[in-house]
């Protein structure tokens, strides 16, 4: 049963690898998969209809298993159960397929599917051995379970609608509770103060020198620049991605600093390193740059070349370099805006002296 469930799921998983390359299309297909799973939870008749092909194939295998004996018969019966049961796991399959479509590897997705199938097989085994003793309380609560399942379907469908309409960012910043909680946790997790020092992934020894900005997949708002050409300038490198709510909260501050201190020698470079496949098209980055009215250069880092050169791990992440190209300060996540502006002012003062 586990074999058939995993094979059926992996066929869809591997076939969906091309969807991740389709970026925006892949996101919509993932939402359609989740919407289908939600409707299957809400409407049993709809669930039966979409499960029809798998059920028919399972019946064929079950018939074949009755015509054989021994281990072959048991294995065929297990395959039949896997086919019959796979559609019943629609919500789980929908969620896992959506994760895969969003860019995760087929191997990781297959491991999730196999683990889930194994757990369900264990529960089926307990039902076989427990029989009526275990089934009686389940039947008594069948009406309640039906309502809970439909309620979960409504919640899942609402999540699809919010994602499709772009309302998630409004919810994320609606009451500020999540933002305040995240900021508090980040403050608790901050290590003791120590000199800022980069740890580039592509270098064996840590360095405080401004890493290379080569390896980007495109530039917006200007021609490409090099680390060498920025020598003599105070530089702020801002790692961000347009679908990150935390980045959306920090962009206005970075934009204001770029405008306010440009004449004094501050150079801001935005590094757009996408978290999700649909953030990769340069057209979507240009739309975000126009939406937030960013006046500075932005380099798209779809292959994570610049991200790795900095050894970065966060969105958003701000790296401040002095006029000699040395890293002087870092700030990760939201907040800390007043201190960051003081750092800019101090580095500009040093550059003039």
């Amino acid at each position: 049963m586990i074999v058939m469930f995993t094979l059926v799921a992996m066929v869809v998983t591997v076939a969906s690898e091309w969807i991740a390359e389709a970026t925006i299309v892949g996101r919509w297909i993932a939402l359609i998969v989740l919407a289908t799973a939600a409707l299957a939870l809400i409407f049993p008749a709809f669930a039966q209809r979409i499960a029809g092909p798998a059920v028919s194939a399972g019946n064929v295998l079950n018939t074949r298993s009755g015509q054989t004996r021994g281990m072959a018969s048991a294995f065929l019966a297990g395959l039949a159960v896997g086919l019959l049961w796979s559609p019943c796991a629609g919500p789980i399959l929908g969620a896992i397929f959506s994760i895969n479509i969003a860019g995760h590897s087929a191997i990781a997705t297959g491991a999730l599917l196999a683990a889930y199938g194994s757990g369900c097989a264990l529960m089926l085994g307990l039902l076989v051995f427990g029989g009526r003793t275990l089934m009686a309380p389940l039947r008594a609560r069948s009406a309640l379970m039906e309502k809970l399942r439909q309620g979960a379907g409504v919640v899942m469908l609402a999540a699809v609608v919010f994602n499709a309409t772009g309302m998630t960012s409004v919810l994320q910043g609606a009451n500020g509770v999540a933002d305040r909680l995240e900021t508090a946790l980040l403050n608790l997790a901050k290590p003791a103060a120590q000199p800022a020092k980069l740890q580039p992934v592509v270098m064996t020894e840590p360095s405080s020198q401004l890493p290379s900005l080569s390896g980007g997949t495109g530039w917006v708002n200007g021609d490409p620049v090099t680390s060498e050409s920025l020598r003599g300038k105070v530089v702020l490198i801002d790692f961000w991605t347009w679908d990150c709510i935390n980045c959306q909260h920090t962009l206005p501050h970075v934009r204001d600093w770029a405008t306010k201190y440009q004449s004094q020698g501050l150079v801001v470079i935005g590094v757009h390193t996408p978290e999700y496949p649909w953030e990769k098209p340069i057209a979507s980055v240009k739309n975000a740059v126009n939406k937030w009215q960013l006046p500075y250069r932005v380099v798209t880092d779809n292959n994570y070349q610049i991200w790795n050169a900095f050894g970065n791990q966060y969105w958003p992440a701000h790296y401040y370099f002095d006029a000699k190209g040395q890293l002087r300060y870092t700030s990760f996540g939201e907040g800390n805006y007043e201190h960051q502006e003081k750092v800019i002012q101090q580095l500009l003062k040093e550059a003039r002296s």
Side-chain angles (χ1 to χ4, degrees):
M1 187 198 80
I2 300 172
V3 171
M4 176 55 73
F5 173 75
T6 305
L7 286 177
V8 170
M10 284 301 296
V11 167
V12 180
T13 299
V14 175
S16 68
E17 284 298 313
W18 69 272
I19 297 174
E21 299 299 324
T23 59
I24 299 298
V25 177
R27 178 172 181 266
W28 283 103
I29 291 179
L31 290 174
I32 291 172
V33 171
L34 276 179
T36 303
L39 292 173
L41 281 174
I42 300 171
F43 305 108
F46 177 73
Q48 292 177 2
R49 177 166 296 186
I50 63 175
V55 171
S56 298
N59 288 332
V60 171
L61 281 175
N62 191 47
T63 301
R64 295 280 181 86
S65 70
Q67 298 172 354
T68 59
R69 295 181 179 179
M71 288 296 294
S73 175
F75 186 72
L76 284 174
L79 294 180
V81 173
L83 268 177
L84 293 171
W85 170 65
S86 292
C88 301
I92 299 298
L93 291 178
I96 294 178
F97 291 160
S98 300
I99 291 173
N100 178 77
I101 289 172
H104 292 259
S105 70
I107 296 176
T109 306
L112 282 174
L113 292 168
Y116 176 71
S118 300
C120 290
L122 176 61
M123 292 306 299
L124 287 175
L126 291 176
L127 288 175
V128 169
F129 289 106
R132 296 178 181 178
T133 303
L134 292 174
M135 289 301 296
L138 293 177
R139 288 196 183 99
R141 295 178 175 83
S142 59
L144 174 61
M145 296 302 295
E146 177 72 15
K147 295 297 182 183
L148 290 176
R149 188 180 68 182
Q150 291 178 338
V154 171
V155 172
M156 184 182 294
L157 192 59
V160 171
V161 172
F162 276 110
N163 275 280
T165 57
M167 292 293 291
T168 51
S169 59
V170 176
L171 289 179
Q172 287 172 315
N175 53 26
V177 174
D179 296 336
R180 290 195 295 270
L181 177 60
E182 182 180 16
T183 301
L185 292 175
L186 285 173
N187 290 333
L188 289 174
K190 283 183 179 178
Q194 50 184 267
K197 201 168 186 65
L198 285 172
Q199 295 184 10
V201 173
V202 294
M203 296 176 62
T204 56
E205 294 295 332
S207 172
S208 295
Q209 190 71 31
L210 175 61
S212 172
L213 297 176
S214 62
T217 51
W219 286 78
V220 181
N221 275 355
D223 296 327
V225 295
T226 63
S227 302
E228 292 75 17
S229 67
L230 295 174
R231 190 65 59 87
K233 301 286 187 179
V234 174
V235 180
L236 164 56
I237 303 294
D238 175 25
F239 283 90
W240 65 291
T241 184
W242 63 257
D243 205 18
C244 166
I245 186 63
N246 305 102
C247 298
Q248 294 171 19
H249 290 165
T250 59
L251 284 176
H253 298 276
V254 177
R255 177 189 62 210
D256 293 345
W257 296 333
T259 303
K260 183 177 180 179
Y261 296 105
Q262 179 183 8
S263 60
Q264 300 182 38
L266 175 68
V267 176
V268 177
I269 303 293
V271 181
H272 185 275
T273 310
E275 184 176 7
Y276 303 108
W278 55 82
E279 296 174 299
K280 290 183 178 181
I282 195 167
S284 69
V285 180
K286 289 180 178 178
N287 289 337
V289 168
N290 292 332
K291 175 182 178 180
W292 295 101
Q293 299 179 342
L294 305 183
Y296 48 84
R297 288 180 175 86
V298 174
V299 53
T300 55
D301 186 32
N302 290 354
N303 298 324
Y304 280 63
Q305 292 294 314
I306 302 175
W307 175 284
N308 289 335
F310 276 71
N312 188 49
Q313 301 178 33
Y314 310 98
W315 290 281
H318 298 163
Y319 293 84
Y320 293 88
F321 295 87
D322 60 22
K324 298 178 181 179
Q326 296 295 308
L327 180 67
R328 297 288 296 276
Y329 188 72
T330 58
S331 182
F332 306 122
E334 296 184 51
N336 196 31
Y337 302 121
E338 291 184 4
H339 186 69
Q340 290 187 69
E341 186 167 11
K342 289 180 180 179
V343 169
I344 294 173
Q345 295 169 348
Q346 176 61 31
L347 294 180
L348 289 173
K349 182 179 179 181
E350 291 179 8
R352 290 191 299 267
S353 61

